[in-house]
Amino acid sequence: MRTLRESLLLFVFSALLLPYATAAAQDDFDADFEATPPRAVTTAAPIDDDPFGEPVVDEGPEEAEATSSDADALRTGEGEPVAQADTRAASSDTTAKESSKRARKREKGRVTSDPDLDEARRRAFHRHGTIGGPVGGVHIVDAGTGAPGTFRVGLSFGMFRKDGFIADGDQARASQGVLSLSYTPIKQLEIFANIAAWAASNESIDPTLLQILGDTTLGVKGVWEILPFLNFGGDVRVGFLNRLGSVGLRGSGTSVGLRSNLSFDLRAIEKPKPIVARLNVGYFFDNSINVVKDVEDARWAALEGRPGGVSPIEAQDHLVNAAERFGLQLNRTDFVDLGVGFEFPIEPIERLIISPIAEWNVRIPVNRRDFNCLYLPDGLAIDHPMEACLDREGGKAFPMVVTAGVRVEPKVRGFALLAAVDVGVLGSRTIVKELAPTAPWMVRFGGSYAFDPNREVVREVDVLVEKEVPVEHRALIHGLVVEAGTEHAIDRAIVRLTGRELTPLVAEEGRFKSYLFEPGLVEMSIEHPDYEPGTCSAEIAEREERAPALDAAEEAALAEGEGAETPRTDEPRVVEVRCELIAKPRVGNLTLRIVNESGSGVTGANVEISGPENRAFRTSVEPVVRAEGLQPGTYQVRVEAENFLIKTDELVISANETTEREITLISRPSRALAQLRGKKITIRRQINFATNSAEILESSNALLLEVADVILRNPEIRLLEIQGHTDDRGGAELNLRLSQDRAESVRAWLIRNGVEESRLIAKGYGLTRPLVPNITSANRAKNRRVEFVILESD
């Protein structure tokens, strides 16, 4: 046992140091490669540690000037430094700009140019193995695979301890170690394996320590990529179990698992989100109980050999007990396995990935062997204690585990650390004869390393020789950014100098001034939030130097050797450029949520939007309407749904903005307060106003909503007169004015709530049209009223 432990610790130590040793070796190689001659003026480009980075573009004509002999000189340190050679070559023309020369050396040939493929391969490379081997979370398997051609190795440990777990007063301890491997030869296939060791001790059994050494699982997984973010597949795995108490496989204990896998990686959608969801459904043919068949047969023979033989209640006393099943992980049933998992990979800083993981697993036992569990009534069980049976305990005994963990990928490429805890929700308190008890909890930690033998390494050594260019040969760019087809200057546009590490320029009121540039083409990209991105360029021509014509005196002086210097100017030239941007469509968006008085969504509602343009919608399962690309302006919204009053609203759509509004529908009352009858809209109660005022009291809003609903549902009403009437108290002129104001107030209320202005007129009749004589208070109350009379209809 001591030798096994020491070997295991040595293996763990080596596995944990492997990524760091690899990185150190790589750094030594880089240091050797980047050595350059001491006199050369060089700049070493950074080494791309990520094989999925930017593609390398072949050298252009200027770069081709750096010959292979130059590169050899840089690599070996022999020969003349490139910087000095270029300096002498350029000495004959001190006014010309000497272009930078680059000598490039490549260590790998394969270069991809599709950024989508590069990103997909990067995501696949960062998939690490589960504890069992195939890529995924902690236990739940991903339907995808690692990057094609990559290997993964993982080492994990788990530990558990609890007193009184299986029997009162016992001291249960357990530990587990798993070494896993997986390989992805092609995108659609993954091959995986693991070898596990398990040790459990419990003072309620003899021997108190049980160990499993070298149980091995081999498997293969197939993958179908339905969409970039959606994978479906399945795997088959075979578990080979060692003999009890000796080294070697027990063939009858070989178990087989079949599993289908589905995964959603939302990092691959148009608007990426750091979420990976996984679903596993499988069936496991568990033959582990066959490992102890010889032991159980020997115990049965011992029982039969006693005087008196075996009594009926002792018929299953020879079977391994719960502590033994837990220590050796034995089951008498198959399982239907269900699992769901979520992973949230976030990158708080560059090349550091932290992935919280949450998983749920349940195993549903299937009694394929028709094991008949012996059950004793409570009276007999007191004298002969016996474990419970699965068919009586039911779901309480099903193994169910919830896992929470985190995987951290530090800046060492391919290396990941894992920490997790399993919590036994079911199967740990209810123990049955058919199943190994579920540990109440298990703390797990481990590490994994992904290796890509096909990684690309692109290295560049740039030899830069800079020659000062006189100011008069360079030029400034003065630019104007305008809207295409107009003279409208675009304020605050951002101008970036393409291919140059220079600070972007801001076009104030459309105008910008650049840095000094040497002769050649200067390309610019231009951005503004209200315009489509655009490009612009300016050509700076070579400046010709011409000697001015000499007069007679100057020619004579020149002939005598007193030559005059050619006059020069130190002022830079200016190149004017006009850049045009195409304006984005100046439209807005609208989101409406339709709810009832309690805030619940209303489905099946018809929504009409009218204004600068008209749209119509109908809510379905989701009570939300989204209208995109609306012309800016004021819109009227009309919402109609069964068993609800029609609702209207007014809103403003602004360019490049999304307007959000919630519209609440009022349920139609069981007994209507307003009805269309003949040439009138009759109301069951009167509209209430403040005393001697045209202010409508809030208590009348429900009544007026029904009046508006009747008008809106009957478009054949072309002209409706709103009549105001009073009683005889007060003067006739005062009552006439009050009745007119009240009628106008009702008309304004209805217009605000969606009734067309052209369909309504207001007229006050004062005290001239009483319904009954104004001789009692009750009669006067009847005469104070508002009526709705149809004047024109279709």
Side-chain angles (χ1 to χ4, degrees):
M1 180 56 65
R2 180 176 299 276
T3 302
L4 174 63
R5 291 175 180 171
E6 291 174 352
S7 301
L8 188 60
L9 288 175
L10 179 61
F11 174 78
V12 173
F13 185 74
S14 302
L16 293 177
L17 287 183
L18 177 62
Y20 297 99
T22 305
Q26 185 68 50
D27 291 340
D28 291 342
F29 173 78
D30 293 343
D32 293 341
F33 176 81
E34 292 174 1
T36 56
R39 292 181 296 165
V41 182
T42 64
T43 301
I47 297 175
D48 182 7
D49 242 352
D50 191 338
F52 319 121
E54 294 294 330
V56 177
V57 182
D58 292 339
E59 296 93 330
E62 291 185 359
E63 293 169 337
E65 296 176 11
T67 63
S68 60
S69 60
D70 294 334
D72 293 338
L74 286 172
R75 183 167 56 251
T76 62
E78 300 175 355
E80 184 176 24
V82 178
Q84 294 183 2
D86 289 341
T87 301
R88 285 196 299 274
S91 61
S92 61
D93 185 6
T94 59
T95 62
K97 168 69 179 175
E98 178 69 22
S99 301
S100 300
K101 292 180 171 57
R102 298 187 177 187
R104 284 199 175 108
K105 177 179 179 180
R106 287 175 173 78
E107 291 297 321
K108 195 70 180 178
R110 183 170 61 85
V111 177
T112 59
S113 59
D114 188 333
D116 291 335
L117 292 178
D118 290 345
E119 176 61 21
R121 181 176 174 87
R122 188 190 72 83
R123 288 196 305 271
F125 179 77
H126 287 287
R127 291 183 183 135
H128 285 265
T130 59
I131 290 176
V135 298
V138 181
H139 303 286
I140 303 299
V141 175
D142 197 288
T145 63
T150 58
F151 296 84
R152 284 157 298 282
V153 58
L155 185 64
S156 66
F157 299 92
M159 60 182 64
F160 151 77
R161 62 182 295 167
K162 181 176 175 59
D163 296 341
F165 168 39
I166 295 176
D168 292 339
D170 70 355
Q171 294 180 343
R173 309 287 187 268
S175 60
Q176 182 188 42
V178 181
L179 173 65
S180 62
L181 300 167
S182 68
Y183 170 55
T184 306
I186 59 176
K187 183 178 181 180
Q188 296 79 14
L189 185 67
E190 181 181 12
I191 303 169
F192 60 90
N194 71 67
I195 183 169
W198 169 271
S201 65
N202 194 308
E203 301 202 2
S204 66
I205 59 175
D206 184 23
T208 58
L209 177 64
L210 297 174
Q211 293 178 311
I212 302 172
L213 299 176
D215 284 358
T216 304
T217 300
L218 301 177
V220 61
K221 179 172 71 174
V223 176
W224 173 36
E225 183 181 277
I226 303 174
L227 294 169
F229 63 88
L230 177 61
N231 284 319
F232 175 75
D235 63 77
V236 58
R237 62 197 186 280
V238 181
F240 301 96
L241 307 186
N242 273 334
R243 295 177 179 274
L244 190 63
S246 62
V247 178
L249 298 180
R250 180 67 183 249
S252 60
T254 301
S255 302
V256 178
L258 304 175
R259 179 169 50 204
S260 60
N261 311 309
L262 183 69
S263 63
F264 300 82
D265 191 341
L266 302 189
R267 296 172 296 175
I269 62 177
E270 184 177 355
K271 295 182 179 179
K273 295 178 176 58
I275 301 174
V276 180
R278 304 182 178 103
L279 173 66
N280 295 167
V281 179
Y283 189 91
F284 191 70
F285 295 89
D286 193 332
N287 295 313
S288 57
I289 196 64
N290 293 336
V291 173
V292 295
K293 185 177 185 304
D294 295 342
V295 173
E296 292 183 338
D297 289 346
R299 291 179 179 178
W300 178 255
L303 287 175
E304 284 188 317
R306 295 183 311 174
V310 181
S311 66
I313 63 174
E314 296 176 326
Q316 293 186 348
D317 286 0
H318 66 291
L319 302 180
V320 289
N321 59 35
E324 292 169 327
R325 292 196 304 276
F326 178 74
L328 299 174
Q329 292 295 288
L330 305 175
N331 295 288
R332 298 185 184 278
T333 68
D334 294 348
F335 294 95
V336 173
D337 294 325
L338 303 176
V340 178
F342 294 91
E343 186 171 348
F344 307 92
I346 56 178
E347 191 169 358
I349 60 176
E350 185 177 3
R351 298 179 65 186
L352 172 64
I353 301 175
I354 300 176
S355 303
I357 300 172
E359 296 180 345
W360 171 85
N361 282 277
V362 63
R363 309 196 75 189
I364 303 172
V366 179
N367 191 7
R368 174 171 58 90
R369 299 177 184 82
D370 294 327
F371 174 73
N372 186 13
C373 180
L374 177 61
Y375 171 76
L376 294 181
D378 293 341
L380 294 176
I382 295 176
D383 299 326
H384 195 93
M386 185 173 292
E387 296 174 3
C389 295
L390 179 63
D391 59 350
R392 290 182 172 272
E393 299 299 330
K396 294 185 296 182
F398 291 4
M400 181 186 294
V401 176
V402 173
T403 302
V406 62
R407 177 179 284 123
V408 179
E409 298 179 57
K411 293 190 176 183
V412 178
R413 182 179 180 275
F415 183 57
L417 295 171
L418 175 69
V421 59
D422 295 339
V423 178
V425 180
L426 297 176
S428 59
R429 295 181 179 86
T430 303
I431 298 176
V432 295
K433 289 181 182 180
E434 291 89 341
L435 307 177
T438 302
W441 56 268
M442 177 77 74
V443 174
R444 299 183 183 275
F445 57 93
S448 59
Y449 185 70
F451 174 65
D452 185 0
N454 296 323
R455 65 179 296 192
E456 303 163 9
V457 180
V458 179
R459 295 175 171 82
E460 297 180 358
V461 176
D462 292 356
V463 180
L464 305 179
V465 181
E466 297 291 342
K467 289 290 186 178
E468 183 179 357
V469 178
V471 171
E472 64 269 18
H473 284 269
R474 293 182 283 175
L476 295 170
I477 297 175
H478 288 188
L480 175 63
V481 183
V482 299
E483 184 174 327
T486 72
E487 296 300 322
H488 173 66
I490 301 175
D491 187 34
R492 308 294 296 175
I494 304 299
V495 181
R496 304 183 189 275
L497 288 308
T498 305
R500 303 171 190 263
E501 296 183 359
L502 297 173
T503 303
L505 307 173
V506 179
E508 299 286 353
E509 297 182 354
R511 296 191 176 275
F512 66 91
K513 296 180 180 179
S514 77
Y515 311 93
L516 278 171
F517 290 105
E518 61 198 51
L521 183 66
V522 179
E523 296 183 343
M524 295 161 280
S525 63
I526 307 174
E527 301 172 2
H528 191 281
D530 296 336
Y531 293 83
E532 300 291 346
T535 59
C536 199
S537 63
E539 181 72 36
I540 301 176
E542 295 281 355
R543 184 166 186 167
E544 297 181 4
E545 290 195 0
R546 298 181 179 179
L550 303 180
D551 56 22
E554 290 174 329
E555 289 180 355
L558 184 62
E560 296 178 2
E562 301 177 359
E565 294 184 0
T566 301
R568 297 174 61 178
T569 175
D570 291 334
E571 292 297 323
R573 294 173 291 158
V574 173
V575 176
E576 301 282 349
V577 63
R578 174 188 172 96
C579 304
E580 295 188 351
L581 295 182
I582 299 174
K584 290 181 179 178
R586 293 183 172 91
V587 295
N589 302 322
L590 172 64
T591 300
L592 295 176
R593 177 175 172 81
I594 314 301
V595 299
N596 57 23
E597 298 99 320
S598 64
S600 301
V602 176
T603 59
N606 295 312
V607 181
E608 296 180 359
I609 302 172
S610 57
E613 58 181 289
N614 299 328
R615 302 274 185 94
F617 305 90
R618 181 178 176 85
T619 62
S620 55
V621 177
E622 186 181 13
V624 176
V625 166
R626 295 181 177 88
E628 298 181 349
L630 292 173
Q631 295 296 322
T634 301
Y635 284 81
Q636 299 294 329
V637 178
R638 172 185 168 127
V639 182
E640 183 176 352
E642 187 177 358
N643 300 323
F644 291 92
L645 298 177
I646 293 176
K647 177 70 174 181
T648 63
D649 201 355
E650 183 177 274
L651 47 83
V652 176
I653 299 297
S654 301
N656 303 321
E657 293 183 7
T658 296
T659 300
E660 296 184 354
R661 184 72 59 87
E662 184 173 271
I663 295 181
T664 302
L665 300 184
I666 307 299
S667 298
R668 183 190 298 278
S670 57
R671 186 181 183 192
L673 297 177
Q675 292 181 329
L676 178 62
R677 292 184 177 178
K679 289 294 185 178
K680 284 187 177 184
I681 296 177
T682 61
I683 55 179
R684 291 185 179 275
R685 63 174 184 236
Q686 277 303 319
I687 301 169
N688 296 323
F689 298 90
T691 304
N692 293 325
S693 170
E695 179 187 353
I696 300 174
L697 297 182
E698 190 174 348
S699 60
S700 294
N701 285 345
L703 171 61
L704 287 172
L705 281 174
E706 290 195 48
V707 173
D709 184 75
V710 172
I711 300 172
L712 293 171
R713 290 182 186 277
N714 293 276
E716 67 274 11
I717 300 176
R718 295 175 54 194
L719 186 61
L720 181 72
E721 183 180 68
I722 304 169
Q723 298 180 353
H725 302 275
T726 66
D727 58 23
D728 63 346
R729 289 181 300 176
E733 183 178 349
L734 176 62
N735 281 321
L736 183 62
R737 186 168 62 252
L738 179 61
S739 64
Q740 182 66 37
D741 291 344
R742 288 181 170 177
E744 292 285 358
S745 181
V746 172
R747 179 176 183 270
W749 194 102
L750 293 173
I751 292 172
R752 287 196 305 272
N753 284 271
V755 180
E756 296 91 331
E757 183 177 356
S758 60
R759 299 173 66 188
L760 303 175
I761 61 172
K763 184 165 180 65
Y765 288 92
L767 51 75
T768 60
R769 295 188 179 183
L771 291 177
V772 293
N774 288 294
I775 57 177
T776 64
S777 296
N779 284 2
R780 290 190 180 93
K782 292 180 180 179
N783 290 330
R784 295 191 302 271
R785 67 195 188 278
V786 175
E787 294 183 343
F788 301 91
V789 179
I790 300 173
L791 300 182
E792 296 180 16
S793 63
D794 294 333

